[in-house]
Amino acid sequence: MTALSFASLVPNITPIAEAPKLTHQQDVWIAALEWCESRGIPDAINPEDLDGTLSYGAFQFKPSTLDMFAKKYGVATTTLMDYETQRKVVEQMVLH
C-alpha cells in the first residue's frame, strides 16, 4: 500500500480572480473629483458647462456620456441624477 500525498487528493482548481479594487489613492482622487465637480452635491446641475450644455449630478455627467460608460462597464442605471450610478461608473473608469 502506498501513502497518498495531500496534493494528490486535491483537484486542480483555478482560483477565481477578484474584481479589481480601488487603491486608497484612487478613492481619494475620486473624492477630490467629486468636490471639484459639484462640491459634493449629488443633485447639482451646471446650467452651462464649457460646451454650453447642462451637466448633472455629483460628477457632472452629460446624459449620453453616463449612458455610454454605464453600458461599457455593465453598471445598471436608474436615473441620471442617481449618485450610486455615477459613483460606480467613475470607479470603473478609474480602474480601467
Side-chain angles (χ1 to χ4, degrees):
M1 190 181 230
T2 61
L4 294 173
S5 71
F6 180 72
S8 68
L9 298 174
V10 178
N12 289 335
I13 298 173
T14 304
I16 298 172
E18 287 188 35
K21 295 180 182 175
L22 292 172
T23 65
H24 173 70
Q25 291 85 353
Q26 289 170 323
D27 197 45
V28 169
W29 186 87
I30 290 172
L33 175 67
E34 180 182 353
W35 181 255
C36 177
E37 293 293 344
S38 69
R39 297 298 185 249
I41 301 169
D43 57 351
I45 297 175
N46 182 351
E48 191 172 328
D49 208 342
L50 293 175
D51 65 357
T53 64
L54 292 122
S55 295
Y56 301 89
F59 294 96
Q60 293 293 286
F61 274 101
K62 310 284 185 194
S64 60
T65 305
L66 182 66
D67 186 53
M68 177 186 70
F69 281 105
K71 286 178 182 171
K72 178 177 181 172
Y73 296 120
V75 175
T77 56
T78 52
T79 67
L80 174 64
M81 297 297 280
D82 180 57
Y83 176 80
E84 292 302 318
T85 299
Q86 286 199 6
R87 171 75 192 207
K88 286 177 186 175
V89 167
V90 171
E91 286 176 2
Q92 291 304 307
M93 292 170 77
V94 168
L95 288 169
H96 296 98

